[in-house]
Amino acid sequence: MASPGSTISQASVSESNRSRILSHLYHHGVSSRAQIAKALDLTPAAITKITAHLIDGGLIAESQQTEANRRGRPIGLRLDKGRFHVVGVKFARSLVQIGVFDLAGKRISLHELPTVDESTIQRTIHLIHQQIEELLAGDRLIIAIGMAVPGPYLRTVGRTALVSSMQGWRRINLIREFGRSFSVPVFIEQDARAGALAEHLFSQGLKSQNMAYYLLGEGIGLGVVDQGRLVNGALGAASELGHISIDINGRPCDCGNLGCLEGYCSAIAVHQLIADRQLVPGAQAMTHRQACQALFDQAAAGDAPSLQAVKEIGRYVGYGCVTIINAFNPERIVIGDIVSAAGKPLLRAIQDVVDERVIPELNDSTSISLSCLPTDAIISGAAAVAITQFLNHPSLFARGDLSSGPPSHSSTSHSKQPAEQYQQQ
Amino acid sequence: MASPGSTISQASVSESNRSRILSHLYHHGVSSRAQIAKALDLTPAAITKITAHLIDGGLIAESQQTEANRRGRPIGLRLDKGRFHVVGVKFARSLVQIGVFDLAGKRISLHELPTVDESTIQRTIHLIHQQIEELLAGDRLIIAIGMAVPGPYLRTVGRTALVSSMQGWRRINLIREFGRSFSVPVFIEQDARAGALAEHLFSQGLKSQNMAYYLLGEGIGLGVVDQGRLVNGALGAASELGHISIDINGRPCDCGNLGCLEGYCSAIAVHQLIADRQLVPGAQAMTHRQACQALFDQAAAGDAPSLQAVKEIGRYVGYGCVTIINAFNPERIVIGDIVSAAGKPLLRAIQDVVDERVIPELNDSTSISLSCLPTDAIISGAAAVAITQFLNHPSLFARGDLSSGPPSHSSTSHSKQPAEQYQQQ
């Protein structure tokens, strides 16, 4: 279905054609103008004009080599993925990580900040500012910052509407705090949606236009790519799986709902279960991640009560998968973050629930697997958020003005801070 | 997010430009070539070529009048919504309706078939064939047939995976049964998604790019428009709200899941509640719709037990709204079909649950209302399915070949039956 009723402005369509060319080069490597013209059904004249602007804007370059002809006769165009870096920031309640990545998603550096609690949120924000400034000062290739934050994140507002078990984050307006602080633009997205973008942009093979990234961290999150595009919602707060109830008379949640999935199989819920059953010695003093990992290690070593706990947790994760399949019918569900480290016994318990409760036709056509991205999907996801904006909105990152008049080399991307950038997809 | 990784073929982009022009004329009325060129950022040469093909193909025509200049100087183009008709067929377990509509969604005729039960499914299918043949023979303006069927409908397969409480429909492969039976193409979509298309295409004012149509019929369905496009899923079986569990230990459902929403507030569940509590005299002999309507009439007349029942049903409908908001974050939820006829007391109970259980920021930005389409949204939806295909795939409906060589007038749209038509959006 096209977008009936929406008027597409001339400027946005021009930007859309620039974006399509840039994305083509991102995904297909070196290509000749003729190959691009053919693939995107643009006239040679349009291609010549748009690519000249992209070259003058410093985003792409001429290359002697094409995939079709390695002897270098026809002059090709390329987007050098190593020539641009992005900063990815992962917020995960008590954990904050900051990484630098190239456009291919290759990690160049990673810093982890001290564990955060309610009393150290302000200090943590100060540290994030400081570290990003240092990174920007030391690496002129950085063109953007992507941030991945717990949901429900109100993207149009800039604030997380709720962070179960760490309400202090709610008071932070991320757009106000970080939006205009740096010399490069900042883009913010809910964590699991960022993870879905990372799986979609970076995972080798297994490309799917219909996939879901199911995040089992300190919260439960979900990002869904449907027909190649993130399911968004009016405020950018769609696919909040963690707050979908699995029991309308169940455990009360901070969000006001009862029986939220998050209350049963997030890392925090698992830590609580460990404490209640005294499964891991010294668990009280551990971080959520440490406690979960200790439980999973015990289960892998054959400890029966630990294995039983993993199976119970897996059933709850499985109920979430049943909901994902009924709500979004993805081809693939990729499960990642802290609780996914329980590995095979968890996956088996998940699959058992799905086999019991999903219509066979839908079950047969849905694969469920654990994430195999080289690094944590959310920090990669934060980078993917920035890279997706680079591909979708080239004019924000080019030298000069791509759309009108002769391209100028006087300004750099670092000076661009359009007001609506945070709301753009 | 653009569709990274997907290669767009030249033919599909040409069709996409034809579709954009046709959709522009559908939504904006008479427009000059210059207005279209500006709105869609296409070159005058491209507009001239594409519109010439659309005129030769018989889809649009020259018009002396433009919206901008009513004196008729610049020659405009128009899509005459009255010149094309579509047939809409609504399947709803025991109810089958067949209507004829014009492209504006105006109803021209409506037939209702005798109530269907397991033993009369085959006879009903025969009747549908017969009635559509009669309509086609009597109305040469009919260009397509749209069908709306209960979900989970596997669009790529052509079969409903499950029809709670009328399993006989499952054995019918709708594509095989109807796909090539007629002289015009047939398009099939899940009922609530068809309803969402109808609300999106035909409802006056209140246009939203993020809306949900929540169907309370013999089954529970949901269709979600996100960023102007239906949320689809890999098999076209997304947004199956009726089978999302609200209680993982709840009532068993035919689908294999426990606690499916459908088991608590579909018209069938309401009829069961009426029977259990003996709320309506003679309810056993009534259709589901009649029994529900009798209950709602009693409630409106002040009968306390009936009003209490409506409130209880409304709470369950409300739990569904809470799930819709967390899963899809629409701007509007429009509630339609049998159970929505309970009206204000139902809506009040729904809103109470949503107020209790949804995060305030999301609640504040979501409106919930009862459908106010002039006719039943699902039969209009069946028409909307066909009209959406007309707008998205003009070449299926044009005389001759729109894409290559000089347009020919030798063949008519009635001879076109492309194999993949059922899977196209």
Side-chain angles (χ1 to χ4, degrees), chain B residues 238-251:
Chain B
S239 64
E240 263 307 325
L241 182 69
H243 298 287
I244 292 182
S245 175
I246 58 167
D247 178 359
I248 52 170
N249 301 307
R251 301 176 188 167

Side-chain angles (χ1 to χ4, degrees), chain A residues 1-10 13-14 17 19-20 23 27-28 38-41 152 154 159 161-162 170 197 200-201 209-210 225-241 243-249 255-258 316 319 322-323 325-331 356-362 365 388 392 425, chain B residues 1-10 13-14 17 19-20 23 27-28 38-41 152 154 159 161-162 170 197 200-201 209-210 225-241 243-249 255-258 316 319 322-323 325-331 356-362 365 388 392 425:
Chain A
M1 176 182 162
S3 303
S6 71
T7 306
I8 301 164
S9 76
Q10 183 152 5
V13 174
S14 303
N17 282 334
S19 165
R20 289 170 63 210
S23 298
H27 291 287
H28 296 84
K38 194 176 169 192
L40 304 183
D41 197 38
L154 309 171
R159 203 161 53 71
L162 173 95
R170 279 190 62 186
L197 286 179
H200 193 66
L201 275 185
Q209 296 297 99
N210 292 276
V225 174
D226 185 66
Q227 303 161 81
R229 208 168 67 167
L230 271 184
V231 176
N232 221 12
L235 301 178
S239 65
E240 263 306 325
L241 182 69
H243 297 287
I244 292 181
S245 175
I246 58 169
D247 178 359
I248 51 169
N249 302 307
C255 76
N257 208 353
L258 301 181
Y316 282 107
Y319 299 137
V322 175
T323 296
I325 294 170
N326 282 311
F328 299 103
N329 178 213
E331 197 172 15
E356 287 163 31
R357 299 193 176 210
V358 170
I359 295 164
E361 286 91 336
L362 293 181
S365 67
T388 300
N392 288 359
Q425 263 283 321
Chain B
M1 177 182 162
S3 305
S6 71
T7 306
I8 302 162
S9 78
Q10 184 153 6
V13 175
S14 303
N17 281 334
S19 164
R20 288 170 62 210
S23 298
H27 291 286
H28 296 85
K38 193 176 170 192
L40 305 182
D41 196 38
L154 309 171
R159 203 161 52 72
L162 173 96
R170 279 191 60 187
L197 287 179
H200 193 67
L201 275 186
Q209 296 297 99
N210 292 277
V225 173
D226 185 67
Q227 302 161 80
R229 209 168 65 166
L230 270 184
V231 176
N232 221 13
L235 301 179
S239 64
E240 263 307 325
L241 182 69
H243 298 287
I244 292 182
S245 175
I246 58 167
D247 178 359
I248 52 170
N249 301 307
C255 77
N257 207 355
L258 301 180
Y316 283 107
Y319 299 136
V322 176
T323 295
I325 294 170
N326 282 311
F328 299 104
N329 177 214
E331 196 172 17
E356 288 163 32
R357 299 194 177 209
V358 169
I359 295 163
E361 286 92 335
L362 293 181
S365 67
T388 301
N392 288 359
Q425 264 283 319

Side-chain angles (χ1 to χ4, degrees), chain A residues 187-304:
Chain A
F187 303 100
I188 309 170
E189 184 55 276
Q190 184 247 55
D191 50 11
R193 293 147 65 86
L197 286 179
E199 289 282 345
H200 193 66
L201 275 185
F202 306 142
S203 76
Q204 300 302 315
L206 288 172
K207 287 269 176 204
S208 173
Q209 296 297 99
N210 292 276
M211 65 83 64
Y213 180 78
Y214 183 5
L215 178 149
L216 304 173
E218 297 189 12
I220 297 278
L222 181 72
V224 178
V225 174
D226 185 66
Q227 303 161 81
R229 208 168 67 167
L230 271 184
V231 176
N232 221 12
L235 301 178
S239 65
E240 263 306 325
L241 182 69
H243 297 287
I244 292 181
S245 175
I246 58 169
D247 178 359
I248 51 169
N249 302 307
R251 301 177 188 167
C253 176
D254 289 344
C255 76
N257 208 353
L258 301 181
C260 290
L261 182 64
E262 192 155 292
Y264 299 84
C265 56
S266 67
I268 292 172
V270 172
H271 198 168
Q272 189 62 48
L273 180 146
I274 291 168
D276 290 349
R277 300 194 189 168
Q278 303 186 315
L279 288 169
V280 172
Q284 277 82 343
M286 293 179 180
T287 64
H288 302 310
R289 182 185 289 270
Q290 288 164 343
C292 290
Q293 195 54 56
L295 177 74
F296 304 154
D297 290 345
Q298 288 177 191
D303 177 60

